[in-house]
Amino acid sequence: MTRSRKGFVPDYDFTSRWFQHAGARQHYLDEGSGPPVLMLHGNPSWSFYWRRLVRELRADHRCVVPDHVGMGLSDSPAESDYEYTMSSRVDDLCALTDELVATGGAPATGWTLIAHDWGGPIGMAWAARYPERVSRLVMLNTAAFPNPFARFPLSLRLPLWAIKNTRLAEHLFLRHNVFARGAALLGATSGMPRDVRAGYLHPYGSARERLAILRFVQDIPLRPGDRAWLELLAAEAGAARLADRPAFIGWGGRDPVFRSAFLDEWRRRFPRAVFRVYPKAGHYVLEDRAPELLKDIREFLSVS
């Protein structure tokens, strides 16, 4: 258990580090030594998602694990001081990794990019700016390309429309924390123990600390003209430039959002990748299948 400025975090025995950028303190982990692995979380999770993978790899890898600004243990600035967009996330990541290379002893090449959910497009857009920095990829239930469905299923289109276009969404997200609570309750098909759910919800105790969660969902790029569309195309270009890199794609087969069409698209774009599907796992595949997935990732990193 770790003490943070937001209280105790269960099952999170790491040293917190901070990077000041764009008017906010960004929290990150920097654990272990060896070839660097960059782990990027999605929404509404935070670096807590990677806790078991950090423990698994830190004996022989340098694990760099940031919390996006407004999430986890990072600052939650007002929107007048910080723009909660995908573009800002990519800029934050560039600034952090540049600092680690310039002054933190990190190498300029040889990084493994590990991503889940929003971490995929953010990480690939970062990689598009620094393709020489990335040597390997590990992608878990994510995307780095436009929606592969001809149209999103109605069960997804209606909630997304409501979140993007109604005041009710702000009330539910900011006052009642429904998205983070729902993800903690339903994101793992096997169910999370109470203390693990508490870990996921730990940073999001107030409306201000939940703002980034809402803005992430509202920023989902569905069509040209959406605010994050150009960054998504940059992510797609980054993925294309890295198609020759060794890649591991781990997939929870019961993810209600990243369905089989997304996995099929990864297969099309990365035909030489190592694919592992965990049919009964949900969106939080590391919670549902931790022993198998940790072993599979370690084996991939040891031979690629």
Side-chain angles (χ1 to χ4, degrees):
M1 184 175 289
T2 295
R3 176 78 180 177
S4 81
R5 63 189 177 87
K6 297 183 179 181
F8 286 103
V9 186
D11 195 26
Y12 191 79
D13 54 339
F14 309 113
T15 300
S16 289
R17 302 178 186 275
W18 309 94
F19 174 62
Q20 186 75 31
H21 170 68
R25 283 201 320 161
Q26 184 170 18
H27 174 263
Y28 70 101
L29 306 178
D30 192 347
E31 296 272 325
S33 60
V37 294
L38 176 63
M39 304 181 192
L40 301 180
H41 71 83
N43 183 42
S45 60
W46 57 292
S47 54
F48 182 78
Y49 179 75
W50 301 111
R51 65 198 185 281
R52 285 186 277 197
L53 187 58
V54 172
R55 294 192 195 106
E56 180 73 20
L57 298 181
R58 65 183 172 183
D60 46 20
H61 290 82
R62 182 174 177 177
C63 300
V64 177
V65 194
D67 287 330
H68 302 305
V69 171
M71 307 193 77
L73 305 184
S74 293
D75 285 351
S76 299
E79 289 188 278
S80 58
D81 299 318
Y82 181 84
E83 191 173 17
Y84 287 91
T85 64
M86 180 180 169
S87 179
S88 295
R89 310 311 189 171
V90 180
D91 289 343
D92 294 341
L93 188 58
C94 292
L96 173 61
T97 53
D98 283 350
E99 180 70 14
L100 292 176
V101 170
T103 67
T109 60
W111 291 62
T112 297
L113 173 60
I114 304 180
H116 175 251
D117 191 84
W118 263 102
I122 292 168
M124 286 297 194
W126 166 80
R129 302 186 194 183
Y130 303 93
E132 72 288 345
R133 189 162 288 176
V134 181
S135 63
R136 295 174 297 197
L137 303 167
V138 176
M139 299 285 117
L140 308 178
N141 286 71
T142 186
F145 38 77
N147 165 33
F149 292 101
R151 296 185 73 194
F152 261 125
L154 189 63
S155 60
L156 296 178
R157 278 188 283 130
L158 288 179
L160 279 176
W161 181 89
I163 293 168
K164 285 174 174 281
N165 295 286
T166 71
R167 294 293 297 273
L168 177 63
E170 292 204 9
H171 177 78
L172 294 175
F173 273 62
L174 302 183
R175 182 169 182 177
H176 297 288
N177 204 21
V178 293
F179 193 70
R181 291 180 183 277
L185 186 64
L186 303 173
T189 57
S190 57
M192 294 183 192
R194 181 175 298 178
D195 63 331
V196 175
R197 292 202 308 272
Y200 277 102
L201 296 175
H202 171 84
Y204 305 121
S206 70
R208 182 161 174 164
E209 291 167 335
R210 301 165 186 166
L211 178 62
I213 296 174
L214 174 62
R215 295 295 182 248
F216 252 127
V217 178
Q218 292 176 332
D219 211 31
I220 293 173
L222 300 178
R223 59 186 63 84
D226 285 351
R227 185 170 61 173
W229 187 259
L230 292 181
E231 284 290 353
L232 181 62
L233 296 184
E236 183 179 35
R241 294 191 68 176
L242 298 177
D244 62 338
R245 306 295 202 276
F248 174 93
I249 314 295
W251 209 261
R254 293 188 180 177
D255 190 329
V257 176
F258 291 99
R259 302 183 182 191
S260 59
F262 288 90
L263 178 59
D264 292 342
E265 192 67 12
W266 281 110
R267 292 187 189 278
R268 185 180 74 80
R269 293 169 183 261
F270 285 79
R272 293 182 293 175
V274 176
F275 286 87
R276 294 285 184 272
V277 178
Y278 311 91
K280 297 183 179 181
H283 181 64
Y284 285 161
V285 60
L286 259 175
E287 298 296 340
D288 277 323
R289 290 296 181 270
E292 301 161 69
L293 185 51
L294 295 176
K295 176 177 177 290
D296 288 343
I297 292 174
R298 171 165 284 284
E299 289 182 354
F300 168 74
L301 294 181
S302 68
V303 301
S304 60

